[in-house]
Amino acid sequence: MDSDNEKTKRITRRKFLGVSTAAAAGGVVGGIIVGAVGGYLAGQAAAPPAATTTVTTTKTATQTVTTTQTAATATVTSTVTQPATTVTQPVTTTVTTTRTVAPEAEVGYTSLITLNVNGVDYALLVDNRWSLADVLREKLGLTGTKTGCDRGECGSCAVLVDGVPMLSCMLLACSVSGSKITTIEGIGTVGNLDKLQASFVNNEGIQCGMCIPGIIVVSKALLEKNPKPTEEEVKEALSGNLCKCGNWPFIVKSVLEAAK
Ligand code: FES
Ligand code: FES
């Protein structure tokens, strides 16, 4: 128990400080909290009002979406109707007519001739431009007569025209119509050789043989006219015949042997 003195002292001190009892309960003097009690009371008395907090939350979401699309197969059938178009185009027509005309039918270029060839009579319609050699080889098939130069230089085409040796490549067939023609085929045959042909075989008078038909035909005419010719006469008679093989010694010998 405080004594009265003690109370008096505290009152006095308060008075001295100029603080009322009520103010002492607040514990604040001039904005200054006095003492631990005052501070505590100040804390209790000035409790702050409950705070209201507004929280705003913003949420941003990122979403990735993957879409797979399968292409569809579509069949489209279209019918297009087009108006008819008229095109006018020039057409050139070329007509080629091929007319086969036998040479014999060409008026003015043919002749009807007769020939006796190797003992056989022929009536032939020939082109006026054909040589006797052509007619013998191409029309009658007597290919024993050779055409070497076809220009009167080699003598291989020689035939007998009425017994006279002539170059058939230089004679028009139509010009000797009615004549008697002797070719190599008419001199002798394989099974019945003329003595001249046999002599050429026996005396190696033949090499390639190209010149031989003409040489034998000319030699035949020589022996008909001169059965016992000399070597010089044989060479002179055959001066119009060429032997590309150069077989002259044996050719002359063959003729002379045939004349024996
Ligand atoms: S083919 Fe006749 S002379 Fe040569
Ligand atoms: S044998 Fe050949 S051209 Fe006289």
Side-chain angles (χ1 to χ4, degrees):
M1 263 314 227
D2 291 337
S3 65
D4 292 338
N5 285 340
E6 289 293 321
K7 290 179 181 180
T8 303
K9 285 179 181 177
R10 287 198 294 269
I11 293 169
T12 302
R13 181 172 175 81
R14 286 179 182 175
K15 285 182 178 179
F16 174 73
L17 290 174
V19 180
S20 66
T21 306
V28 177
V29 180
I32 298 172
I33 299 174
V34 180
V37 176
Y40 169 76
L41 293 174
Q44 290 293 315
T52 301
T53 306
T54 302
V55 178
T56 304
T57 304
T58 303
K59 190 176 181 183
T60 304
T62 303
Q63 191 174 18
T64 303
V65 178
T66 304
T67 305
T68 303
Q69 191 173 15
T70 303
T73 302
T75 302
V76 179
T77 303
S78 301
T79 303
V80 179
T81 304
Q82 263 190 324
T85 308
T86 303
V87 179
T88 305
Q89 224 176 1
V91 178
T92 304
T93 305
T94 304
V95 179
T96 304
T97 304
T98 304
R99 188 165 60 98
T100 304
V101 180
E104 293 83 353
E106 293 181 33
V107 179
Y109 289 95
T110 58
S111 295
L112 180 62
I113 65 170
T114 59
L115 292 175
N116 180 288
V117 182
N118 301 330
V120 179
D121 291 323
Y122 295 95
L124 302 165
L125 191 61
V126 298
D127 190 304
N128 291 340
R129 297 163 293 185
W130 288 356
S131 68
L132 177 59
D134 289 338
V135 172
L136 293 173
R137 289 177 57 86
E138 307 300 331
K139 297 291 286 185
L140 303 182
L142 299 172
T143 56
T145 299
K146 307 302 181 190
T147 50
C149 65
D150 212 18
R151 60 177 63 179
E153 294 178 354
C154 70
S156 61
C157 64
V159 296
L160 299 179
V161 179
D162 295 327
V164 178
M166 302 188 75
L167 301 177
S168 63
C169 74
M170 300 301 291
L171 288 174
L172 290 175
C174 60
S175 70
V176 294
S177 179
S179 300
K180 182 180 177 183
I181 310 297
T182 302
T183 68
I184 187 65
E185 291 93 342
I187 302 295
T189 60
V190 175
N192 186 26
L193 293 178
D194 182 82
K195 62 177 182 180
L196 264 172
Q197 293 168 317
S199 182
F200 270 79
V201 172
N202 296 332
N203 293 284
E204 300 179 354
I206 304 170
Q207 285 196 22
C208 79
M210 181 68 181
C211 66
I212 300 304
I215 287 176
I216 289 180
V217 165
V218 173
S219 300
K220 184 69 175 177
L222 171 65
L223 297 185
E224 288 287 334
K225 186 177 178 181
N226 182 4
K228 298 294 179 182
T230 62
E231 182 175 337
E232 290 304 312
E233 290 172 330
V234 171
K235 290 179 179 177
E236 183 181 358
L238 297 177
S239 60
N241 295 77
L242 299 179
C243 176
K244 294 182 286 292
C245 295
N247 201 35
W248 286 114
F250 297 95
I251 289 173
V252 173
K253 180 185 176 185
S254 297
V255 176
L256 292 173
E257 288 292 321
K260 290 180 178 176

